[in-house]
Amino acid sequence: MKVIGSKPQSLHAVAVFPGSFDPVTVGHIDLIQRSAMVFDEVVVAVACNQEKTPLFSVSERIAMISNIFTDNNRVKVETFDGLLIDYLVNRGAKVIIRGLRAVSDFEYEFQMALMNRKLAPGIETFFMTSSALYTYVSSRIVKELASLGGDVSDLVHPLVEKEIKIKYSKYARN
Ligand code: PNS
């Protein structure tokens, strides 16, 4: 196997953390924070048009994530449409970060990583394991719980909890 040369000193490591983030959860926040300890810049890329009926619009999702990370200048929040790898190529980024919570995530993530590498061989997917505390947390679970009047304060940032309460106020129990 041919060994390729070492990393040039000037390389600015930009990692893209893509997702639907409808809404961003404590699990996402943990992964974004930890990624920002490793990469120079982490771009949280909110996907457009993933779900036909999202709870939050793309601009609402961007605003929530931006507010949460307002003090972390390594974290940027953007949106993208179409193929993820086209967005990375246009942005000059070479790294995709995805979180793995459990074995059940693996098959889909593996398939997506291989497809993205086939489409753009220079782009690598880095997987991060979620913290044990957050393995059960997902945006879908948050929405289901909140829609039925359940407490989601442990699952999302207080800013997000406030926005969820506004969305689901018609279901509130008190
Ligand atoms: O938070 P999610 O819903 O698991 O994020 C999935 C996402 C948005 C990262 C993925 O669906 C995606 O990259 N969509 C853009 C279209 C694309 O490039 N698909 C992969 C090629 S097979």
Side-chain angles (χ1 to χ4, degrees), residues 47-129:
C48 279
N49 303 330
Q50 284 303 115
E51 237 187 286
K52 285 195 188 108
T53 51
L55 179 60
F56 292 101
S57 68
V58 168
S59 45
E60 287 171 325
R61 285 178 254 165
I62 290 177
M64 286 186 282
I65 304 167
S66 304
N67 286 334
I68 292 167
F69 287 100
T70 191
D71 293 331
N72 191 331
N73 59 14
R74 286 178 182 237
V75 177
K76 307 267 179 307
V77 190
E78 297 182 356
T79 182
F80 75 100
D81 206 354
L83 282 180
L84 176 61
I85 48 111
D86 287 343
Y87 167 74
L88 268 97
V89 169
N90 290 335
R91 221 189 171 289
K94 291 186 180 333
V95 174
I96 299 168
I97 299 178
R98 293 286 290 171
L100 283 178
R101 287 166 299 190
V103 178
S104 51
D105 282 342
F106 182 77
E107 198 172 329
Y108 168 66
E109 293 297 336
F110 190 56
Q111 194 178 27
M112 198 160 67
L114 290 179
M115 179 51 78
N116 282 333
R117 184 133 52 95
K118 179 173 154 54
L119 294 169
I123 291 176
E124 291 292 344
T125 302
F126 281 47
F127 291 109
M128 289 182 69
T129 50

